[in-house]
Amino acid sequence: KALARAISDIAAMGGWPTQAVVTLVLSPNYQLGYAKSIYTGLSGLAREFGVSVVGGETARPATSTGRTAMISVSLLGLVEKGRCVMRSGGREGDHIYVTGSLGGSLKGKHLQFLPRVWEARWLSEHYKPSAMMDLSDGVAKDLPRLAKQSCLGYQMVYQRIPRSPGCELRQALNDGEDYELMFTVAPGRAEALKAEWLKTFPTLPLTNIGWLCPKDQSMGSELDQGGWDH
């Protein structure tokens, strides 16, 4: 997860991850095998996306009591000129999309996700979203952020929110750590995007959950006043 969430951030801008630096802090109470198992997990995901673990630090905490563990990953990435997607490019009327299903992170989903690198790369090449980010803190927190960065408001159709099995709407909006993509595309490209996405990623749902609008027309509810607050 420590590496996957960093890869997800790179993907959300249309980029490709390249090199990672890992800092590992462990108390002496851990066996060497535990440290090796962490790097085994990191290496498996790194190979999948061509990431090189190029360095970092290994240290122990100031106090040696208990079982302290901390993993910090810094990640570099590259994106071709003209393909970088920010949060701030949304335009009035743009449709808002999310990939996959939302909610359920508290049941362990947050430990089993796969960063949407391939999907984001495909989008940046073929449809160049006007704005894009990954859903780390929940739609209820992240959609207002995207709209604010684009100097707009938003309208959300709650009945369309794709929910993970066993999740209620409130969980889908607020649980966070979905690490799915949320992006905006001009309405004139909606039908073509829907058809091409289905051909290219037939097992991953893509859902239109609303649209961007002027700030004074933004209409939220108590349902989207949550999300993870750092």
Side-chain angles (χ1 to χ4, degrees), residues 12-207:
M13 299 187 75
W16 188 261
T18 54
Q19 295 96 24
V21 177
V22 179
T23 297
L24 181 62
V25 180
L26 290 176
S27 66
N29 297 320
Y30 284 95
Q31 299 295 315
L32 178 60
Y34 180 73
K36 288 183 175 180
S37 72
I38 291 175
Y39 280 93
T40 297
L42 288 167
S43 297
L45 186 65
R47 280 193 300 271
E48 186 163 351
F49 292 105
V51 174
S52 299
V53 179
V54 297
E57 295 287 345
T58 304
R60 66 180 182 180
T63 57
S64 299
T65 58
R67 290 172 66 83
T68 300
M70 188 275 287
I71 309 169
S72 176
V73 175
S74 296
L75 185 65
L76 300 177
L78 296 173
V79 65
E80 297 86 347
K81 187 175 182 179
R83 284 180 61 177
C84 182
V85 186
M86 311 290 282
R87 301 180 183 184
S88 55
R91 296 179 293 268
E92 182 182 338
D94 282 357
H95 289 190
I96 304 165
Y97 292 88
V98 295
T99 62
S101 58
L102 310 179
S105 63
L106 302 180
K107 299 177 182 178
K109 179 183 173 183
H110 67 113
L111 296 173
Q112 302 169 353
F113 70 93
L114 191 66
R116 302 300 188 191
V117 176
W118 301 109
E119 294 84 354
R121 292 287 293 170
W122 181 86
L123 284 167
S124 71
E125 179 179 359
H126 297 283
Y127 281 88
K128 186 62 185 297
S130 53
M132 184 161 63
M133 65 186 295
D134 67 331
L135 289 170
S136 55
D137 295 335
V139 172
K141 186 71 69 174
D142 288 331
L143 179 52
R145 286 172 175 160
L146 185 147
K148 183 179 180 180
Q149 287 292 311
S150 296
C151 299
L152 291 166
Y154 65 91
Q155 297 273 1
M156 188 158 33
V157 183
Y158 297 106
Q159 300 93 318
R160 296 181 187 173
I161 300 297
R163 293 177 285 174
S164 298
C167 286
E168 299 176 354
L169 176 59
R170 189 175 296 275
Q171 293 172 298
L173 291 170
N174 292 283
D175 279 359
E177 294 203 284
D178 297 297
Y179 296 104
E180 296 290 350
L181 296 174
M182 179 172 64
F183 61 93
T184 57
V185 170
R189 310 198 73 187
E191 289 302 318
L193 171 61
K194 181 179 178 181
E196 289 298 320
W197 182 274
L198 188 59
K199 292 179 183 178
T200 310
F201 306 106
T203 62
L204 181 64
L206 180 67
T207 308

